[in-house]
Amino acid sequence: MKIELFVTPAEFTEGDTRSEPVIVIDVLRAMSTMIQALANGCRDIIPVDSVERALALHTSLFETDILLCGEREGMKIYGFDLGNSPLEYTPDAVAGKSLIFTSTNGSAALIKVRKSKHIYLCSFFNVTAIAHTISGKSENLVILCAGQDNHFALEDALCAGMLISRIRTHSKKEHELNDAALSALQLISIYGNNINAILKQTDHGRELIRIGMENDIYFCAQVDAIPVIPVLIDGKIIKMPV
Ligand code: MLT
């Protein structure tokens, strides 16, 4: 089994199609927020890569119960219903609703690989559930970190390292790892016993603290708190049908 980790979406081109399962990670905060939304009863989520596309899609869909969601520079977009804090995505806010969601890095990463056959969303919330779901499904895996403006983001690499470690334990198989995957395993062995403390020290963590969203860091640092498996199928994110 070969596991390839990409620490930013820069190595992918728009519409890149992978035959192996692709797991997209964005700990702070897009994947964590979407996992929380699905856990709290939202029907589905349509990721889009620009505010303009989100608004146009919203106007073109004549259905009720569709919320406009997302962030730019970490803050809720003017005129949108919800921002990108997972704490906003309560059952009261999202149950039974469809979401149109745009975030700077997370939804952009999903759009890049959206033509791949099997796409899963991952954060610390569901890392073990994803590892168990994925193990044994395919000989090869691709893990893509959303990163930060096409730069390395430590929080995503740590989650990738934890995921790879869980997959190895669960599948009891030898894995061929690329250099990034090997490095992520090392990183999680160094930082893995205090995720919250290290998330606060990351570039993104410090930015969230600066804009008054430190509570999101504590929330997103919870390992295995929300064992939901979100999949992107035909442009929509839903809970994996069982
Ligand atoms: C992103 O997708 O860029 C992030 O989720 C940004 C954020 O924390 O709001």
Side-chain angles (χ1 to χ4, degrees), residues 26-33 84-87 123-125 195-196 199 208 214-224:
D26 186 3
V27 169
L28 298 174
R29 296 166 289 171
M31 302 308 147
S32 301
T33 298
N84 188 25
S85 168
L87 298 169
S123 77
F124 284 116
F125 284 162
I195 301 291
N196 178 53
L199 290 196
L208 289 173
E214 185 167 351
N215 285 344
D216 285 358
I217 304 174
Y218 294 104
F219 196 65
C220 294
Q222 300 175 87
V223 175
D224 294 333

Side-chain angles (χ1 to χ4, degrees), residues 1 14 38 49 77 84 95 160 163 183 193 198 223:
M1 187 185 206
E14 176 71 41
L38 288 169
D49 57 1
I77 299 158
N84 188 25
L163 176 65
S183 310
N193 55 12
I198 191 67
V223 175

Side-chain angles (χ1 to χ4, degrees), residues 26 28-30 71 74 84 103-107 204 208:
D26 186 3
L28 298 174
R29 296 166 289 171
E71 60 69 39
N84 188 25
S103 72
T104 313
N105 301 287
S107 51
H204 200 146
L208 289 173

